[in-house]
Amino acid sequence: MKNIVLFGAPGVGKGTHALLLAEKYDLDHFSTGEMLRQEVADGTPLGLRVKSLMDRGDLVGDDVVIGLIDKAITSTDKGIIFDGFPRTVQQAQALDFLLKRHQRRLDCVISIDAPREELVRRIHERAAVSNRSDDSDEATIRHRLEEYEEKTRPVVDYYKVSGLLVSIDGSGQINQTSMRLCKVVDQIIH
Ligand code: AMP
């Protein structure tokens, strides 16, 4: 039962690759972004609370996403691929705690790396086909990337220290990145 974090900046393709890996290796895919968008779409009290934060490109509160992930981990006996979580050091610490409580541990954190201009290009490309409001506004895109630099990048150091971090080049085509990812996951799984 392997537990993997897929890490990277907005637009790098975490969602796409997490889905591919979940299917190939029979893992449950937990995306906090998707969970939050579902809460907004359903008009739940939580959704109403987080909508404006997401529209601005702010991170939502740690307690909110940690609560969602706690519920998700409790719901499965399969291995898990985490997508878009953790995004702060506090979330990373909470994940360690939650996994331990469920007699699990983190096996690997894979960071997908790509240059900033490529991230912006991909977010614009996605905006044309998705109806994500945070993909179509320039100021929001810029702010999401700033939030990443300020709050999420320190998570890389957190996992470097624990020896769990593997970085791969995600600047090329989807299939190239996918092959690199599978090479890493194959080593963990076998
Ligand atoms: P994503 O789909 O992962 O790009 O997330 C979309 C938006 O959801 C982000 O810009 C944040 O507003 C919010 N979000 C998703 N995951 C998290 C998280 N782990 N911590 C805080 N906010 C999050």
Side-chain angles (χ1 to χ4, degrees):
M1 194 169 57
K2 301 297 178 184
N3 304 290
I4 298 167
V5 166
L6 207 53
F7 191 85
V12 83
K14 292 186 297 295
T16 303
H17 289 293
L19 276 173
L20 291 170
L21 292 175
E23 185 157 350
K24 177 162 178 177
Y25 298 99
D26 193 27
L27 303 167
D28 259 330
H29 169 212
F30 295 149
S31 155
T32 40
E34 285 298 326
M35 292 173 190
L36 291 166
R37 277 188 289 280
Q38 193 59 52
E39 296 280 342
V40 173
D42 293 345
T44 65
L46 175 62
L48 294 174
R49 247 176 37 228
V50 299
K51 183 178 183 327
S52 59
L53 291 170
M54 293 174 76
D55 283 344
R56 278 203 302 273
D58 280 330
L59 292 187
V60 313
D62 287 332
D63 50 337
V64 171
V65 283
I66 290 166
L68 290 173
I69 284 293
D70 187 9
K71 225 181 349 177
I73 296 175
T74 308
S75 74
T76 185
D77 289 325
K78 289 190 358 183
I80 300 172
I81 183 142
F82 296 95
D83 159 12
F85 182 94
R87 261 172 152 109
T88 64
V89 171
Q90 201 189 329
Q91 290 177 25
Q93 289 166 337
L95 181 60
D96 285 343
F97 174 81
L98 290 175
L99 288 173
K100 208 177 268 172
R101 213 176 63 199
H102 289 272
Q103 281 89 46
R104 293 175 179 254
R105 67 183 172 85
L106 203 52
D107 294 282
C108 190
V109 177
I110 311 176
S111 173
I112 310 176
D113 301 337
R116 185 191 162 101
E117 61 273 17
E118 178 62 15
L119 301 173
V120 174
R121 194 190 67 73
R122 288 182 192 175
I123 291 173
H124 282 301
E125 203 173 74
R126 187 170 62 190
V129 289
S130 81
N131 54 3
R132 282 183 58 167
S133 51
D134 61 345
D135 275 351
S136 49
D137 179 72
E138 280 302 327
T140 303
I141 294 170
R142 204 168 341 113
H143 189 54
R144 282 163 66 202
L145 292 168
E146 282 164 6
E147 287 278 83
Y148 175 79
E149 288 301 330
E150 187 189 328
K151 298 177 182 159
T152 307
R153 201 180 276 286
V155 177
V156 169
D157 293 326
Y158 179 85
Y159 286 126
K160 248 188 214 159
V161 170
S162 57
L164 289 173
L165 187 77
V166 178
S167 297
I168 64 145
D169 175 12
S171 61
Q173 299 294 317
I174 289 182
N175 60 339
Q176 292 173 314
T177 304
S178 186
M179 268 168 46
R180 291 184 186 118
L181 280 169
C182 289
K183 233 189 221 170
V184 175
V185 177
D186 277 342
Q187 279 182 355
I188 303 166
I189 300 236
H190 298 119

